[in-house]
Amino acid sequence: MNVLDLIGNTPLVELKKTSSELEGVSIWAKAEFRNLSGSVKDRAAKAMLTEGIEKGLLRPGKTIIDSSSGNTGIAYAVLGAVLGYPVRIYLPANASRERKTILACCGAAVVETSPLESSDGAYLAAKAEANAHPEKYFWPNQYNNDVNWKAHYHSTGVEIWEQTAGKVTHFITGMGTSGTFMGTARRLKEYNPKIQAVAVQPDSPFHGIEGTKHMASTIKPGFYDETFPDRFAEVNTEAAYARTIRLAREEGLFVGISSGANVQAALDLGRTLPPGSLVVTMLCDSGFRYLSDGFWGLTND
Ligand code: PMP
């Protein structure tokens, strides 16, 4: 097996204890922490780098450069190692310590940008450097590259349809670049236009749901179409933390905060749905990426 084949085809797991709070509605989640570099972002990163190589834009001598809240950067670092390219990542300084350590361990150069400017500051800094030295860099530009959402159109959406034998009724997930949401939901609606696509966002501009964006207060990704979601859902950071802890302690799923936010939003949605509904969401990464976070409530925090 090729190491790149460890990306995609993740298991879809039923959240039995969480679903038991609902009447006849089940919640299922894609175990994206099972991807090669440990997050959902492997899918988009692999597709963008592969396309860059095919188009001759990513070739020997070039460095991969982009901004990231951490997970795409880690995916680039791991894929850069496999494909033989150096990687330079711009990320907000308040990204978790684990993300920075993993990037360094995988050999990526890391440039920290102002935490106050969040993902926008990292994006603008990467853009300036990429545009200043185009001969040096390959800039996938994950926020504006259609290959990002299409990676999910060609993989995640197909997998969910097949794994639920076409029974999925709702797809709900948070958005960073919105690639996961836009690509997966587009594909599912092609299979069955009745499938409802629900976009999750943090309930305020200053939030702790790492990897996700409060769209109204940040630069909108180029391919994000705000008229596309059937519905929007908001999650409060404290509720996302609490759900993340419950997922570990009740479902055996030690996952990250955006996964907690997704499951909380799926549960809130499930309470409004008729029996027989099947809600699918994403477990974007693992709890190992947030060990240094205080919200676990451990005595050594
Ligand atoms: N959760 C986490 C932890 C992430 O890192 C990201 C990507 N920034 C997302 C969710 C959202 O993924 P997407 O960019 O496909 O919207």
Side-chain angles (χ1 to χ4, degrees):
M1 193 189 218
N2 187 309
V3 71
L4 295 184
D5 294 333
L6 293 175
I7 295 174
N9 290 315
T10 54
L12 181 71
V13 292
E14 184 176 11
L15 306 184
K16 289 205 171 141
K17 296 220 180 81
T18 313
S19 301
S20 70
E21 291 185 32
L22 302 171
E23 284 178 25
V25 175
S26 59
I27 300 175
W28 295 69
K30 288 284 272 175
E32 293 300 303
F33 52 83
R34 295 272 294 256
N35 283 306
L36 176 64
S37 89
S39 88
V40 64
K41 296 303 311 198
D42 275 359
R43 296 174 184 264
K46 178 184 171 185
M48 291 186 291
L49 298 187
T50 305
E51 201 219 36
I53 292 169
E54 279 165 12
K55 285 195 166 164
L57 300 170
L58 177 55
R59 49 181 189 274
K62 291 251 183 177
T63 294
I64 299 161
I65 187 172
D66 213 342
S67 63
S68 165
S69 63
N71 280 337
T72 309
I74 293 169
Y76 288 142
V78 167
L79 289 165
V82 176
L83 301 169
Y85 294 97
V87 173
R88 184 177 175 89
I89 299 302
Y90 288 71
L91 90 166
N94 58 336
S96 73
R97 192 191 307 152
E98 290 78 1
R99 282 162 152 70
K100 293 179 201 166
T101 306
I102 298 166
L103 281 164
C105 289
C106 293
V110 176
V111 183
E112 293 186 22
T113 57
S114 164
L116 299 175
E117 292 163 22
S118 124
S119 57
D120 290 352
Y123 167 74
L124 293 171
K127 181 181 178 181
E129 176 68 11
N131 286 339
H133 305 283
E135 72 294 346
K136 241 164 92 176
Y137 296 115
F138 171 65
W139 180 36
N141 190 2
Q142 63 156 337
Y143 288 98
N144 297 293
N145 187 340
D146 283 330
V147 176
N148 175 344
W149 69 263
K150 284 181 184 167
H152 294 281
Y153 177 90
H154 291 298
S155 67
T156 323
V158 180
E159 291 167 31
I160 291 172
W161 180 255
E162 289 175 357
Q163 287 168 319
T164 62
K167 294 198 182 90
V168 52
T169 59
H170 295 75
F171 177 67
I172 179 165
T173 200
M175 301 178 293
T177 64
S178 80
T180 308
F181 175 78
M182 293 298 300
T184 307
R186 276 210 177 103
R187 187 57 174 256
L188 289 173
K189 280 175 171 291
E190 269 182 32
Y191 286 120
N192 177 1
K194 287 192 188 140
I195 294 172
Q196 297 287 293
V198 185
V200 181
Q201 295 189 68
D203 68 352
S204 91
F206 300 102
H207 62 89
I209 310 174
E210 248 186 89
T212 72
K213 253 176 180 281
H214 180 261
M215 289 292 180
S217 60
T218 55
I219 301 174
K220 280 190 197 40
F223 52 78
Y224 172 57
D225 175 358
E226 61 193 357
T227 68
F228 176 76
D230 295 294
R231 276 197 240 176
F232 290 90
E234 287 193 345
V235 180
N236 168 272
T237 296
E238 295 305 319
Y241 287 157
R243 184 56 57 184
T244 304
I245 292 170
R246 286 188 66 175
L247 281 169
R249 296 181 189 175
E250 295 173 21
E251 301 276 14
L253 290 164
F254 181 51
V255 291
I257 303 160
S258 71
S259 308
N262 281 350
V263 173
Q264 184 59 43
L267 188 59
D268 293 344
L269 171 69
R271 291 202 174 96
T272 69
L273 301 179
S277 302
L278 194 163
V279 181
V280 174
T281 191
M282 307 293 283
L283 302 175
C284 308
D285 64 2
S286 147
F288 288 113
R289 247 157 231 194
Y290 307 86
L291 281 177
S292 65
D293 245 288
F295 75 91
W296 299 104
L298 305 177
T299 47
N300 60 353
D301 281 344

